Amino acid sequence: MSSSASSSSADQQQSSSSPSPSPSPSPSPTSYAQHIVLRGDLVETWGAGPMMTQAAHCSVAAIEIYRHLPQTQAYLEELDSMRKVTWKAKNEGWLEKIAARLDDADIEYKMWIEQPENIKVGLATRPVLREETETIWKGNGIKMW
């Protein structure tokens, strides 16, 4: 058992020092983006600063929940190249419509519910490719922030 562990360790060291070409191209980390959707109606009462905090809560929570997925791992490989897209939903009803579209497309996300108020503030997706979510953002009544 220890010889196979040292053998695989040597294989890992060898492969990391001399990368081999992969048979099929995989998306680069910069191909992924995390989408964050926040309720626009809350900005008027909460203010911009608290909404930025809510966006951070959504983003970090989704990354933590889905950190085991290969898409998230690839996204985190290049911290200086992370892409995020922030969307503004008119209100809670529009936020829920986006969540339903994500559910229909089998795209994982985290709905952030502010406590103790129990208010749905926003959501953030796991890192996704444009092709995975393109149809979700079209004709849905939300705007880029």
Side-chain angles (χ1 to χ4, degrees):
M1 182 165 148
S2 63
S3 65
S4 92
S6 63
S7 157
S8 67
S9 174
D11 291 344
Q12 288 174 352
Q13 289 174 355
Q14 183 181 11
S15 68
S16 66
S17 63
S18 59
S20 60
S22 61
S24 62
S26 61
S28 71
T30 56
S31 299
Y32 290 99
Q34 183 180 41
H35 293 265
I36 301 168
V37 183
L38 296 172
R39 287 179 46 189
D41 61 324
L42 294 177
V43 174
E44 298 168 15
T45 54
W46 289 22
M51 289 306 290
M52 286 187 237
T53 302
Q54 298 304 314
H57 290 330
C58 291
S59 174
V60 171
I63 293 294
E64 172 59 22
I65 291 167
Y66 301 111
R67 68 180 168 168
H68 66 281
L69 296 177
Q71 300 93 326
T72 305
Q73 292 170 7
Y75 179 75
L76 294 173
E77 282 178 8
E78 295 185 26
L79 292 177
D80 293 335
S81 301
M82 289 192 297
R83 292 182 55 235
K84 290 186 178 27
V85 182
T86 308
W87 300 91
K88 179 176 166 183
K90 293 178 186 177
N91 53 39
E92 185 176 345
W94 283 101
L95 180 66
E96 290 173 346
K97 286 180 185 180
I98 294 301
R101 288 180 117 175
L102 290 166
D103 287 336
D104 290 345
D106 291 324
I107 302 295
E108 295 87 354
Y109 64 91
K110 166 64 176 162
M111 177 74 72
W112 187 259
I113 301 173
E114 184 64 16
Q115 297 299 332
E117 298 88 352
N118 206 34
I119 297 172
K120 290 181 182 175
V121 175
L123 63 81
T125 66
R126 63 153 166 86
V128 295
L129 297 171
R130 175 180 284 195
E131 301 81 39
E132 291 181 272
T133 59
E134 221 167 19
T135 58
I136 292 168
W137 314 118
K138 291 181 180 178
N140 59 16
I142 67 170
K143 300 176 184 176
M144 287 184 89
W145 212 314

